[in-house]
Each structure stands twice: as C-alpha cells, then as structure tokens.
Amino acid sequence: KNEVEQSPQNLTAQEGEFITINCSYSVGISALHWLQQHPGGGIVSLFMLSSGKKKHGRLIATINIQEKHSSLHITASHPRDSAVYICASVGGADGLTFGKGTHLIIQP
Amino acid sequence: SQTIHQWPATLVQPVGSPLSLECTVEGTSNPNLYWYRQAAGRGLQLLFYSVGIGQISSEVPQNLSASRPQDRQFILSSKKLLLSDSGFYLCASEQLGNTEAFFGQGTRLTVV
C-alpha cells in the first residue's frame, strides 16, 4: 500500500521567509502533483512532476524518484500564500493517493 | 487534455434531504474516477473509485453512494443527509497508464 507522508503538518512563518514542504511516498509512482487549497476554496493544481524540477513564479517543485521524495519551495513568501498544500501521487499500485496536507500560514 | 467539471461549488442542504453531486470528464475516455471527502481540518479521504461504467468500489462505510452511468460521468448521492456529511467533496480522474491526474474544483457542502 502506498503511504504518502507530508511534513510539516502545520507551518507558520513570517512574510519573506523561504518555505519548504516535503512529501514522501513508499512505492514506485508515475508522477506527483502538488495542489493548493485556500481557506474555504477549491483545489488548484500547482505542479505535476515526473522527474527533476519545475518552477512557476515564486514556487519551485522538485522530485527524486529514486528516493521517493518531493519538495515544494516558496521563495519570498507572502500572506496570500497561506493555504493548505497537498501532494498526490499518481500511477502507483493504489492509484491516486493524497497526503494529509500541510497547513501554511504566512504572517505579515 | 482532460477537464473535470464538478458542480455546484457550494451547497447548503437541510438534514434529511437528498444529495446529488455530479462530476463529468472531458477530453478522455475510460478514466479511473474518484470521489474524496475532506472534513473540517482533516485530509482528503477516499470515498469511492470507479474503473469503468457501473463499476464502483467503496473505501469506507457511510451514508453515501456513487454511480457511474456513463463512461465520463460519476455521481455521488445520498438519500438522507446527516450533519456529519458536511465537508469538501472532490472529484478526480486518472488515466490508466498515464502519469497525470486531473481534479475538479470541489464542492463545499454544509448540512444544516
């Protein structure tokens, strides 16, 4: 069974700080998604990764398939980045599997 | 590429009323389809998944049911809502053999 673990569960930081959220999984997968959910809002897909690194604005996502680990980084964090960030693995033996999410608060 | 349409975005329903949430997929055929629920402060919990028309697997016992009457249509239903059915419901699709999943916007259900 694929176990998708995220850390930390909760993270509070000051505006401008560099943020790292981690995601690890236990079985081979095809790809991994990073999703964002603002309070009271819907799900937005930020990245889909099958290898290497992707960058979009202040967001960077990396994945190491051999180590079964992915990270989401936010540079120059801003209060509007406050949201729940969720990783989801695709193509493993259990199909689509979500992590429990990381609740990020960026204080001004 | 695939698109998932999920509606409505928000819904307020009285206890005991029925529920029907619809999810439709465009741009693909024969996807694996999923319904998830997120209770307040919790992670996404798998409710149902389907690998084809009429094929539904349930992950947890609950007050809900799912149906897949057409290849690209996945419906979540309840005959009588409970307060505990409140939450955020997400439909997702995954193409077997593909490396990508697609996500609906979600429905925020409040049972009052």
Side-chain angles (χ1 to χ4, degrees):
Chain A
K1 186 173 171 59
N2 188 18
E3 302 286 342
V4 178
E5 302 286 342
Q6 279 187 243
S7 63
Q9 286 188 328
N10 297 283
L11 178 58
T12 299
Q14 295 298 120
E15 184 172 356
E17 286 188 41
F18 181 80
I19 303 298
T20 295
I21 299 170
N22 296 300
C23 176
S24 62
Y25 49 93
S26 57
V27 304
I29 63 172
S30 301
L32 187 126
H33 284 263
W34 280 101
L35 311 172
Q36 181 192 56
Q37 184 181 33
H38 279 106
I43 292 283
V44 174
S45 181
L46 298 174
F47 295 103
M48 190 279 291
L49 290 161
S50 54
S51 65
K53 177 179 172 179
K54 285 189 176 179
K55 185 175 188 292
H56 184 254
R58 294 180 295 105
L59 301 177
I60 303 166
T62 63
I63 189 168
N64 185 318
I65 293 291
Q66 287 73 31
E67 293 185 5
K68 298 185 176 60
H69 181 267
S70 176
S71 293
L72 176 69
H73 305 285
I74 305 175
T75 61
S77 58
H78 189 276
R80 65 175 174 266
D81 297 325
S82 299
V84 177
Y85 293 84
I86 304 167
C87 63
S89 67
V90 182
D94 300 321
L96 182 59
T97 307
F98 289 90
K100 287 188 166 63
T102 294
H103 188 194
L104 174 65
I105 297 173
I106 304 296
Q107 295 177 333
Chain B
S1 88
Q2 286 189 43
T3 305
I4 293 188
H5 299 281
Q6 185 183 343
W7 67 92
T10 59
L11 187 60
V12 180
Q13 291 282 102
V15 168
S17 65
L19 173 73
S20 180
L21 298 181
E22 187 164 341
C23 170
T24 60
V25 182
E26 289 183 359
T28 188
S29 58
N30 200 30
N32 294 336
L33 295 174
Y34 301 80
W35 276 112
Y36 291 84
R37 176 171 63 196
Q38 181 188 51
R42 308 288 296 274
L44 286 157
Q45 180 186 35
L46 179 63
L47 300 176
F48 300 96
Y49 69 92
S50 170
V51 298
I53 295 173
Q55 300 178 65
I56 310 292
S57 296
S58 173
E59 286 296 301
V60 293
Q62 59 221 317
N63 184 41
L64 301 166
S65 62
S67 62
R68 187 166 176 178
Q70 299 179 45
D71 181 46
R72 287 174 281 185
Q73 185 183 31
F74 202 24
I75 299 171
L76 183 69
S77 304
S78 173
K79 291 181 180 176
K80 286 186 178 182
L81 284 169
L82 306 171
L83 286 174
S84 57
D85 292 322
S86 294
F88 178 77
Y89 289 83
L90 179 71
C91 178
S93 74
E94 179 191 38
Q95 195 74 33
L96 193 63
N98 278 9
T99 60
E100 193 166 5
F102 297 86
F103 307 93
Q105 284 264 314
T107 296
R108 196 160 297 278
L109 171 67
T110 304
V111 182
V112 296

